[in-house]
Amino acid sequence: MMVKTEIEALKGLLDKYDVPYAGGDLEIKVPLQPWRCNRKYVELKKLVTSETLEHPCLLRFCHLTASSTPLEELLYREFDLAEFICGHKIQALHAVFTDGRSGNVIIKMDNGIVGSVEVGNLLPEGAAEVDRHEIIARRGVGSDMVVDTQIPQQSIYLMTKDGDQAYKDTDSELYGLDEKGIERIRAAFEFLKDPQSAAFHTAQDASLKQAVAAALTSNETHKKIEL
């Protein structure tokens, strides 16, 4: 759900590019997958579709947050990113979790690519999320973080007697908003440009929920599950 400042920013984009919309409430009722609009994931996908990475064979994904983010939400996001970046559906998975707070899921895509998805919500409240997405191919490696980097880097660091602050703007038209806010705005903007995409997003939502449920079942039964 977008907050007031995000709705105002969305209206600004719609007006700037003359995208028609009914005034007033701009809350989108369709279950979008907003991270698909994040530039770093779009660029990873381009490495695959352009065949800059030749014959991808392994995915290594990691997403760590504080306890306020349910594990199911992390799985939903990472499963969708795997399908978005590879352009293929998850065919099977095997999951192992510890106390419902952390774990690892081995996924297999329908084109044979295998992936490791590590998730956890054990970070202290208020800590910045840590995520990393790496594609290993027979020729080439792609990553959304610099090699050997352990935590996401910021553009500007301000260190004062009152503490440290960091700033990172990732969208030239949406200054001052955090990364997830930008994802929500861009996803809503793209949807309003093409409302017929509702069918895809709704079907993808159902498919991802099925995959998340399968991961939880796999953890309970200690078995691989075909989707």
Side-chain angles (χ1 to χ4, degrees):
M1 180 179 293
M2 292 190 293
V3 299
K4 183 178 180 180
T5 54
E6 293 175 3
I7 294 175
E8 292 172 348
L10 173 58
K11 287 181 178 178
L13 284 179
L14 295 170
D15 292 339
K16 179 178 179 179
Y17 293 101
D18 295 322
V19 178
Y21 68 97
D25 186 12
L26 275 176
E27 287 296 329
I28 308 297
K29 307 301 181 183
V30 176
L32 304 178
Q33 292 76 43
W35 37 85
R36 288 179 174 233
C37 294
N38 192 311
R39 181 66 179 271
K40 63 184 180 181
Y41 306 137
V42 172
E43 293 302 320
L44 277 180
K45 180 178 179 66
K46 286 182 181 178
L47 291 177
V48 176
T49 56
S50 66
E51 297 186 351
T52 301
L53 297 178
E54 297 182 12
H55 306 293
C57 53
L58 177 64
L59 306 177
R60 294 177 59 189
F61 287 7
C62 175
H63 195 163
L64 308 176
T65 69
S67 60
S68 56
T69 303
L71 212 61
E72 292 84 352
E73 185 176 318
L74 296 177
L75 292 171
Y76 182 103
R77 178 185 176 105
E78 297 307 311
F79 288 168
D80 186 61
L81 282 173
E83 295 188 348
F84 172 66
I85 292 171
C86 291
H88 290 269
K89 301 291 288 184
I90 297 175
Q91 184 181 67
L93 55 79
H94 190 283
V96 177
F97 302 123
T98 301
D99 300 327
R101 299 290 308 279
S102 63
N104 192 283
V105 185
I106 303 301
I107 59 175
K108 181 180 180 182
M109 314 302 290
D110 60 16
N111 66 338
I113 294 177
V114 176
S116 169
V117 180
E118 180 185 352
V119 292
N121 58 9
L122 294 167
L123 295 181
E125 288 299 327
E129 293 187 4
V130 176
D131 68 332
R132 183 187 185 97
H133 302 83
E134 186 176 15
I135 308 168
I136 299 174
R138 292 183 181 178
R139 183 176 180 180
V141 175
S143 175
D144 59 357
M145 289 179 66
V146 178
V147 176
D148 293 333
T149 301
Q150 298 299 315
I151 59 176
Q153 293 179 313
Q154 304 298 314
S155 300
I156 299 174
Y157 292 90
L158 177 62
M159 302 173 187
T160 71
K161 63 180 181 180
D162 298 319
D164 300 340
Q165 292 178 295
Y167 302 90
K168 183 180 181 181
D169 283 306
T170 59
D171 192 305
S172 61
E173 294 179 307
L174 299 171
Y175 287 117
L177 296 168
D178 63 28
E179 193 169 30
K180 288 191 174 181
I182 291 173
E183 288 178 355
R184 289 190 290 268
I185 295 168
R186 285 294 178 186
F189 177 66
E190 293 299 323
F191 172 74
L192 290 170
K193 288 199 303 182
D194 180 22
Q196 293 186 358
S197 63
F200 165 79
H201 289 294
T202 301
Q204 183 67 2
D205 176 68
S207 175
L208 292 170
K209 287 179 178 176
Q210 180 185 9
V212 171
L216 299 179
T217 300
S218 174
N219 175 63
E220 295 172 356
T221 61
H222 309 292
K223 294 181 179 179
K224 171 184 174 183
I225 293 183
E226 301 281 346
L227 299 178

